[in-house]
Amino acid sequence: MAFVASLLLSREVPAVPLVLYAVGAVPVALRASVPEIALDLGLLTMAVGIAALSDWMYSRSAVLRTWDAQPATIGPAQATA
């Protein structure tokens, strides 16, 4: 839930798939005390949320901002004797 809350606060990802993921996670977390149908519906709800998030990320993969750090460079191998 902390993961979903932090993503919601960042406002960089759509809220509806995150809420679907969080709502679906509740019956999955309580799987020992909920009926099987509630667990199945929770898993389905989480899957829909994850699919929507992955679709959103894939469609925006060319324009997503990343860290401003310079890429690491790999130098020649050092021989150790």
Side-chain angles (χ1 to χ4, degrees), residues 37-53:
I37 188 71
L39 176 62
D40 292 343
L41 288 174
L43 289 169
L44 180 66
T45 305
M46 284 181 69
V48 169
I50 290 170
L53 282 172

PDB file of all heavy atoms in Angstrom, residues 37-53:
ATOM      1  N   ILE A  37     -14.102 -16.914  -4.047  1.00  0.00           N
ATOM      2  CA  ILE A  37     -14.562 -15.993  -5.099  1.00  0.00           C
ATOM      3  C   ILE A  37     -14.002 -14.584  -4.871  1.00  0.00           C
ATOM      4  O   ILE A  37     -13.643 -13.885  -5.826  1.00  0.00           O
ATOM      5  CB  ILE A  37     -16.108 -15.988  -5.218  1.00  0.00           C
ATOM      6  CG1 ILE A  37     -16.543 -15.197  -6.433  1.00  0.00           C
ATOM      7  CG2 ILE A  37     -16.751 -15.445  -3.966  1.00  0.00           C
ATOM      8  CD1 ILE A  37     -16.240 -15.869  -7.732  1.00  0.00           C
ATOM      9  N   ALA A  38     -13.885 -14.169  -3.599  1.00  0.00           N
ATOM     10  CA  ALA A  38     -13.315 -12.849  -3.312  1.00  0.00           C
ATOM     11  C   ALA A  38     -11.834 -12.819  -3.687  1.00  0.00           C
ATOM     12  O   ALA A  38     -11.350 -11.818  -4.229  1.00  0.00           O
ATOM     13  CB  ALA A  38     -13.497 -12.507  -1.838  1.00  0.00           C
ATOM     14  N   LEU A  39     -11.140 -13.917  -3.413  1.00  0.00           N
ATOM     15  CA  LEU A  39      -9.731 -13.995  -3.805  1.00  0.00           C
ATOM     16  C   LEU A  39      -9.584 -13.935  -5.319  1.00  0.00           C
ATOM     17  O   LEU A  39      -8.743 -13.204  -5.845  1.00  0.00           O
ATOM     18  CB  LEU A  39      -9.100 -15.276  -3.266  1.00  0.00           C
ATOM     19  CG  LEU A  39      -7.657 -15.551  -3.681  1.00  0.00           C
ATOM     20  CD1 LEU A  39      -6.731 -14.461  -3.187  1.00  0.00           C
ATOM     21  CD2 LEU A  39      -7.226 -16.911  -3.181  1.00  0.00           C
ATOM     22  N   ASP A  40     -10.422 -14.671  -6.029  1.00  0.00           N
ATOM     23  CA  ASP A  40     -10.357 -14.657  -7.495  1.00  0.00           C
ATOM     24  C   ASP A  40     -10.669 -13.284  -8.068  1.00  0.00           C
ATOM     25  O   ASP A  40     -10.005 -12.823  -8.996  1.00  0.00           O
ATOM     26  CB  ASP A  40     -11.314 -15.696  -8.069  1.00  0.00           C
ATOM     27  CG  ASP A  40     -10.873 -17.116  -7.760  1.00  0.00           C
ATOM     28  OD1 ASP A  40      -9.697 -17.310  -7.401  1.00  0.00           O
ATOM     29  OD2 ASP A  40     -11.720 -18.026  -7.869  1.00  0.00           O
ATOM     30  N   LEU A  41     -11.671 -12.626  -7.514  1.00  0.00           N
ATOM     31  CA  LEU A  41     -11.999 -11.271  -7.981  1.00  0.00           C
ATOM     32  C   LEU A  41     -10.875 -10.286  -7.661  1.00  0.00           C
ATOM     33  O   LEU A  41     -10.590  -9.378  -8.453  1.00  0.00           O
ATOM     34  CB  LEU A  41     -13.315 -10.798  -7.379  1.00  0.00           C
ATOM     35  CG  LEU A  41     -14.566 -11.475  -7.928  1.00  0.00           C
ATOM     36  CD1 LEU A  41     -15.793 -11.034  -7.144  1.00  0.00           C
ATOM     37  CD2 LEU A  41     -14.733 -11.186  -9.401  1.00  0.00           C
ATOM     38  N   GLY A  42     -10.235 -10.455  -6.517  1.00  0.00           N
ATOM     39  CA  GLY A  42      -9.097  -9.601  -6.176  1.00  0.00           C
ATOM     40  C   GLY A  42      -7.942  -9.794  -7.137  1.00  0.00           C
ATOM     41  O   GLY A  42      -7.317  -8.830  -7.579  1.00  0.00           O
ATOM     42  N   LEU A  43      -7.660 -11.065  -7.460  1.00  0.00           N
ATOM     43  CA  LEU A  43      -6.596 -11.337  -8.425  1.00  0.00           C
ATOM     44  C   LEU A  43      -6.924 -10.771  -9.806  1.00  0.00           C
ATOM     45  O   LEU A  43      -6.051 -10.229 -10.493  1.00  0.00           O
ATOM     46  CB  LEU A  43      -6.343 -12.845  -8.515  1.00  0.00           C
ATOM     47  CG  LEU A  43      -5.660 -13.470  -7.303  1.00  0.00           C
ATOM     48  CD1 LEU A  43      -5.711 -14.986  -7.404  1.00  0.00           C
ATOM     49  CD2 LEU A  43      -4.240 -12.981  -7.169  1.00  0.00           C
ATOM     50  N   LEU A  44      -8.173 -10.893 -10.211  1.00  0.00           N
ATOM     51  CA  LEU A  44      -8.591 -10.340 -11.499  1.00  0.00           C
ATOM     52  C   LEU A  44      -8.478  -8.819 -11.504  1.00  0.00           C
ATOM     53  O   LEU A  44      -7.994  -8.227 -12.476  1.00  0.00           O
ATOM     54  CB  LEU A  44     -10.025 -10.775 -11.814  1.00  0.00           C
ATOM     55  CG  LEU A  44     -10.591 -10.262 -13.131  1.00  0.00           C
ATOM     56  CD1 LEU A  44      -9.830 -10.865 -14.302  1.00  0.00           C
ATOM     57  CD2 LEU A  44     -12.061 -10.581 -13.223  1.00  0.00           C
ATOM     58  N   THR A  45      -8.885  -8.188 -10.417  1.00  0.00           N
ATOM     59  CA  THR A  45      -8.803  -6.731 -10.322  1.00  0.00           C
ATOM     60  C   THR A  45      -7.351  -6.265 -10.362  1.00  0.00           C
ATOM     61  O   THR A  45      -7.015  -5.287 -11.047  1.00  0.00           O
ATOM     62  CB  THR A  45      -9.480  -6.242  -9.035  1.00  0.00           C
ATOM     63  OG1 THR A  45     -10.813  -6.741  -8.996  1.00  0.00           O
ATOM     64  CG2 THR A  45      -9.513  -4.740  -8.953  1.00  0.00           C
ATOM     65  N   MET A  46      -6.474  -6.970  -9.649  1.00  0.00           N
ATOM     66  CA  MET A  46      -5.056  -6.624  -9.695  1.00  0.00           C
ATOM     67  C   MET A  46      -4.492  -6.802 -11.093  1.00  0.00           C
ATOM     68  O   MET A  46      -3.704  -5.975 -11.564  1.00  0.00           O
ATOM     69  CB  MET A  46      -4.265  -7.489  -8.714  1.00  0.00           C
ATOM     70  CG  MET A  46      -4.406  -7.086  -7.273  1.00  0.00           C
ATOM     71  SD  MET A  46      -3.435  -8.130  -6.172  1.00  0.00           S
ATOM     72  CE  MET A  46      -1.783  -7.654  -6.606  1.00  0.00           C
ATOM     73  N   ALA A  47      -4.899  -7.866 -11.779  1.00  0.00           N
ATOM     74  CA  ALA A  47      -4.399  -8.121 -13.136  1.00  0.00           C
ATOM     75  C   ALA A  47      -4.831  -7.025 -14.095  1.00  0.00           C
ATOM     76  O   ALA A  47      -4.051  -6.590 -14.950  1.00  0.00           O
ATOM     77  CB  ALA A  47      -4.877  -9.477 -13.623  1.00  0.00           C
ATOM     78  N   VAL A  48      -6.066  -6.556 -13.954  1.00  0.00           N
ATOM     79  CA  VAL A  48      -6.545  -5.472 -14.818  1.00  0.00           C
ATOM     80  C   VAL A  48      -5.752  -4.192 -14.542  1.00  0.00           C
ATOM     81  O   VAL A  48      -5.348  -3.483 -15.471  1.00  0.00           O
ATOM     82  CB  VAL A  48      -8.062  -5.251 -14.620  1.00  0.00           C
ATOM     83  CG1 VAL A  48      -8.531  -3.968 -15.280  1.00  0.00           C
ATOM     84  CG2 VAL A  48      -8.836  -6.441 -15.142  1.00  0.00           C
ATOM     85  N   GLY A  49      -5.507  -3.894 -13.265  1.00  0.00           N
ATOM     86  CA  GLY A  49      -4.719  -2.714 -12.919  1.00  0.00           C
ATOM     87  C   GLY A  49      -3.299  -2.787 -13.439  1.00  0.00           C
ATOM     88  O   GLY A  49      -2.763  -1.824 -13.985  1.00  0.00           O
ATOM     89  N   ILE A  50      -2.676  -3.963 -13.307  1.00  0.00           N
ATOM     90  CA  ILE A  50      -1.310  -4.137 -13.789  1.00  0.00           C
ATOM     91  C   ILE A  50      -1.259  -4.041 -15.310  1.00  0.00           C
ATOM     92  O   ILE A  50      -0.344  -3.440 -15.876  1.00  0.00           O
ATOM     93  CB  ILE A  50      -0.738  -5.472 -13.286  1.00  0.00           C
ATOM     94  CG1 ILE A  50      -0.510  -5.402 -11.783  1.00  0.00           C
ATOM     95  CG2 ILE A  50       0.553  -5.827 -14.005  1.00  0.00           C
ATOM     96  CD1 ILE A  50      -0.177  -6.726 -11.145  1.00  0.00           C
ATOM     97  N   ALA A  51      -2.250  -4.630 -15.979  1.00  0.00           N
ATOM     98  CA  ALA A  51      -2.282  -4.555 -17.446  1.00  0.00           C
ATOM     99  C   ALA A  51      -2.443  -3.111 -17.911  1.00  0.00           C
ATOM    100  O   ALA A  51      -1.795  -2.691 -18.881  1.00  0.00           O
ATOM    101  CB  ALA A  51      -3.413  -5.423 -17.990  1.00  0.00           C
ATOM    102  N   ALA A  52      -3.296  -2.359 -17.231  1.00  0.00           N
ATOM    103  CA  ALA A  52      -3.485  -0.955 -17.612  1.00  0.00           C
ATOM    104  C   ALA A  52      -2.210  -0.147 -17.367  1.00  0.00           C
ATOM    105  O   ALA A  52      -1.836   0.701 -18.190  1.00  0.00           O
ATOM    106  CB  ALA A  52      -4.659  -0.358 -16.846  1.00  0.00           C
ATOM    107  N   LEU A  53      -1.538  -0.404 -16.248  1.00  0.00           N
ATOM    108  CA  LEU A  53      -0.282   0.305 -15.980  1.00  0.00           C
ATOM    109  C   LEU A  53       0.797  -0.067 -16.987  1.00  0.00           C
ATOM    110  O   LEU A  53       1.542   0.802 -17.448  1.00  0.00           O
ATOM    111  CB  LEU A  53       0.209  -0.004 -14.566  1.00  0.00           C
ATOM    112  CG  LEU A  53      -0.481   0.736 -13.437  1.00  0.00           C
ATOM    113  CD1 LEU A  53      -0.032   0.183 -12.093  1.00  0.00           C
ATOM    114  CD2 LEU A  53      -0.206   2.224 -13.523  1.00  0.00           C
TER     115      LEU A  53
END
